[in-house]
Amino acid sequence: MLTLGNTSSLSSSTEIIMKLTPAASGTFTIAPTPFHDDGRIDEGSIDRLSDFYGEVGCSGVTVLGILGEAPKLDGEESLAVASRFIKRAGNRQVIVGVSAPGFAAMRSLARGAMDAGAAAVMIAPVPSLRTDDQITNYFRQAVEAIGADVPWVLQDYPLTLSVVMTPSVIKRIVSENPSCVMLKHEDWPGLEKITALRNFQKDGSLAPLSILTGNGGLFLDFEMERGADGAMTGYAFPDMLVDVVRLSKEGKRDAAHDLFDAHLPLMRYEQQQGVGLAVRKYVLKKRGLLSSDAQRKPSAGMTATARAEVDYLLSRVAKFDKRAAL
């Protein structure tokens, strides 16, 4: 087991061992960025979250994602948060979101995160991209900016980013940029896209590519059956996602679906645009993992009615899964 200490002293051999490859699988939970009530970064909660992710079997952690409130952090804070998670991660791989309006900021965070011991970075397209050529050119330029030695994850999230990438465009991006080793698949509907990509691999036209899925886990049950390698999302019970991925890989279809179905009403509630992060942080606080469910402003909180609804959903999930008995 590799334990990271002072990340500034990592050797080049250690960095190679820790780099993400197309063989990556399992559950890479999306970590929220913990804050104190006054908006300061909560390092103690970062440590508790990281330890918990390891205890429940997460293969890795993704930080500074869309729900990691990355745009509310300055560059120094972003690197500090990423480094804290990396230092605490032990043998788990950490992926750092580096998406930015400009390539200078992207390069700075990417190189800083990799120097700190990150396994890879994640890049999402800017919302202004429309044509296939614009999309592929953007990612070529992004790779030029961060360096072709940096493994990276392609985030495909058209519902939020408004950029539509067909399977053929994804194949083209991966073919032109061998350092792209993973797809974070968040298209909706997207099951047929997974099948199309796996069929490209069967006919030899697409290089090996890890596919982890997002969307709050809402379609994880069938995504695994279509050929996904695991999950990369931020539901408040990442331990449930770990179990569903494991059960699916073991061929225990009914058990995987039964567990998934028990959590689905709460997952659906958490997936609401605008309030989802507040719900997630509220539950993580109830689980003892966050000191505060605060978000940095601007933010949307939860009303007393919403909290009561979440508590009711937790009580219903707990009838099947005692982890929800909070």
Side-chain angles (χ1 to χ4, degrees), residues 187-310:
D187 206 346
W188 181 350
L191 294 175
E192 300 300 338
K193 178 179 279 189
I194 297 174
T195 297
L197 291 169
R198 290 310 190 202
N199 284 338
F200 285 151
Q201 291 180 313
K202 289 178 182 177
D203 68 24
S205 62
L206 175 63
L209 180 70
S210 175
I211 300 177
L212 300 189
T213 61
N215 273 324
L218 284 179
F219 306 98
L220 180 61
D221 51 350
F222 286 110
E223 287 168 339
M224 290 301 299
E225 296 179 12
R226 290 296 190 108
D229 294 298
M232 186 192 289
T233 194
Y235 179 50
F237 287 86
D239 32 352
M240 183 278 286
L241 302 175
V242 169
D243 289 343
V244 169
V245 169
R246 174 181 54 80
L247 290 167
S248 296
K249 290 186 175 185
E250 291 173 354
K252 299 176 180 177
R253 188 183 194 191
D254 287 348
H257 280 268
D258 287 345
L259 178 58
F260 178 85
D261 291 348
H263 280 260
L264 188 54
L266 180 59
M267 295 168 69
R268 179 192 64 180
Y269 197 98
E270 190 192 273
Q271 191 65 6
Q272 295 178 90
Q273 291 290 329
V275 73
L277 180 59
V279 173
R280 186 174 303 167
K281 283 194 165 185
Y282 174 70
V283 177
L284 290 173
K285 181 182 177 182
K286 288 179 72 73
R287 299 193 75 182
L289 299 171
L290 295 180
S291 300
S292 169
D293 59 359
Q295 302 171 59
R296 268 208 180 158
K297 297 176 181 178
S299 62
M302 294 176 66
T303 64
T305 301
R307 288 193 292 271
E309 290 168 344
V310 172

Side-chain angles (χ1 to χ4, degrees), residues 46-48 50-51 83-90 92:
I46 289 178
D47 293 347
R48 279 194 300 278
S50 187
D51 292 348
S83 298
R84 185 86 182 194
F85 272 106
I86 293 166
K87 184 176 182 179
R88 195 77 177 192
R92 293 177 306 285

Side-chain angles (χ1 to χ4, degrees), residues 8-22:
S8 65
S9 63
L10 285 170
S11 68
S12 59
S13 61
T14 297
E15 291 175 3
I16 293 173
I17 292 172
M18 293 298 294
K19 281 187 176 181
L20 197 72
T21 75

